[in-house]
Amino acid sequence: MLEAVIVDDEIKALESLSWELTNLSDEVKIVASFTDAHKALDYLAKNTPDCLFLDIEMPVMDGFQFIKNLTNTKFPVVITTAYNQYALKALKNEAIDYLLKPIDSDDLSVTIEKIKKYNSRNYTAEKFEKILLNFNSNSLDRKITVNTDGKLLFLEADEILYAESDGNYSTIFLADGQKIVLTKKLKEVNALLPKDSFFRIHNSFIVNLGQIKEFLKTDGYVILKSNHKIPVSRQKKSDFLDLL
């Protein structure tokens, strides 16, 4: 059952589309409809329907402004309009489809099929990602999973030399010379790493204990097998010595 939301400032147009959708197929259910764009935004911030049918020509806030104000974008958007010139702009704004008013039932059927395919594809990708994450976290030989550039990377602990903070970002440095930039603070990266193998020796650095070659106690630095020189903060020095 597809759960749909309709936003249109014209009550007759809203009722007409509701009737078309519910009579077209028993697979579509209208879970909410709005003539007020602000109320619709509040609803969609807390709820995720299977699709949104959105009118373009609305007072106060048009359809494109509405899309920009959406905080929840986990559903496809179908633009409804009486003006054909909006079609290209609608697609550029990442709408899955557009429908010209008065809405033709055959066009609506095609749009419903597009929504089904879109949701099926995205559901499959999301489900597969969860399976991978669960497999990794439950594996005896657990890998470290990081999400970057739209893909999941599975790293062995001994591949990682150290991680460095850069504000709201962090960079993981690998033994083969690769650098992986993450949109995570170092605290979040630290939570991903095995506590028995990694230690946060500085506010800006986490090191792989197995990669340390030397500890220069007087200078307050560690030298890794890769010859990287990483500072040890005064606050962490005592804990680090106890750990060694």
Side-chain angles (χ1 to χ4, degrees):
M1 177 72 72
L2 286 177
E3 296 187 343
V5 170
I6 304 174
V7 180
D8 196 315
D9 68 296
E10 295 182 9
I11 188 67
K12 287 185 178 180
L14 191 151
E15 290 175 347
S16 175
L17 180 54
S18 295
W19 187 90
E20 287 280 358
L21 284 168
T22 53
N23 283 275
L24 177 70
S25 169
D26 56 6
E27 296 179 332
V28 181
K29 177 184 179 182
I30 310 301
V31 292
S33 57
F34 300 91
T35 55
D36 185 313
H38 291 287
K39 289 181 179 178
L41 285 173
D42 289 342
Y43 175 86
L44 291 169
K46 303 169 186 173
N47 298 276
T48 303
D50 294 310
C51 57
L52 167 66
F53 290 86
L54 176 65
D55 183 34
I56 285 295
E57 288 289 303
M58 296 189 294
V60 183
M61 183 190 304
D62 68 26
F64 299 120
Q65 291 171 324
F66 185 95
I67 291 173
K68 288 179 182 178
N69 283 295
L70 274 173
T71 55
N72 176 11
T73 57
K74 296 179 180 179
F75 47 82
V77 177
V78 177
I79 296 296
T80 61
T81 178
Y83 304 97
N84 196 31
Q85 69 265 29
Y86 287 124
L88 184 59
K89 188 177 179 182
L91 296 177
K92 285 182 178 178
N93 276 265
E94 298 182 0
I96 192 175
D97 205 357
Y98 74 96
L99 292 167
L100 287 176
K101 298 177 181 179
I103 295 172
D104 180 80
S105 58
D106 290 337
D107 291 340
L108 187 55
S109 295
V110 172
T111 296
I112 293 298
E113 289 306 312
K114 285 185 180 181
I115 292 168
K116 288 180 183 178
K117 288 180 181 178
Y118 176 93
N119 287 342
S120 174
R121 183 169 61 248
N122 281 273
Y123 171 75
T124 302
E126 183 179 330
K127 186 176 180 181
F128 181 58
E129 181 174 337
K130 286 180 179 178
I131 290 170
L132 285 174
L133 289 169
N134 288 335
F135 173 79
N136 247 346
S137 62
N138 293 328
S139 173
L140 292 175
D141 184 22
R142 188 171 68 86
K143 294 178 184 290
I144 296 153
T145 307
V146 295
N147 196 331
T148 181
D149 294 330
K151 59 187 176 184
L152 292 175
L153 297 179
F154 305 105
L155 306 174
E156 300 285 354
D158 58 9
E159 289 182 80
I160 300 173
L161 297 175
Y162 67 98
E164 181 177 2
S165 171
D166 184 14
N168 290 326
Y169 295 83
S170 298
T171 303
I172 292 178
F173 293 79
L174 303 183
D176 63 4
Q178 288 188 69
K179 298 178 184 179
I180 301 170
V181 179
L182 305 177
T183 54
K184 290 180 180 292
K185 293 183 179 180
L186 197 63
K187 180 180 179 181
E188 296 173 273
V189 174
N190 196 36
L192 297 173
L193 301 172
K195 299 294 183 290
D196 58 346
S197 305
F198 290 84
F199 186 76
R200 189 168 182 176
I201 60 172
H202 189 281
N203 282 342
S204 298
F205 294 95
I206 301 167
V207 296
N208 185 339
L209 297 173
Q211 292 289 342
I212 295 174
K213 181 171 65 174
E214 298 177 48
F215 176 33
L216 309 178
K217 292 188 286 184
T218 304
D219 296 335
Y221 283 93
V222 294
I223 308 296
L224 304 185
K225 294 175 183 177
S226 59
N227 291 321
H228 286 94
K229 188 177 180 181
I230 311 294
V232 181
S233 71
R234 290 181 181 178
Q235 294 87 349
K236 298 287 185 179
K237 190 174 181 181
S238 176
D239 291 338
F240 181 57
L241 286 169
D242 289 343
L243 186 65
L244 294 178

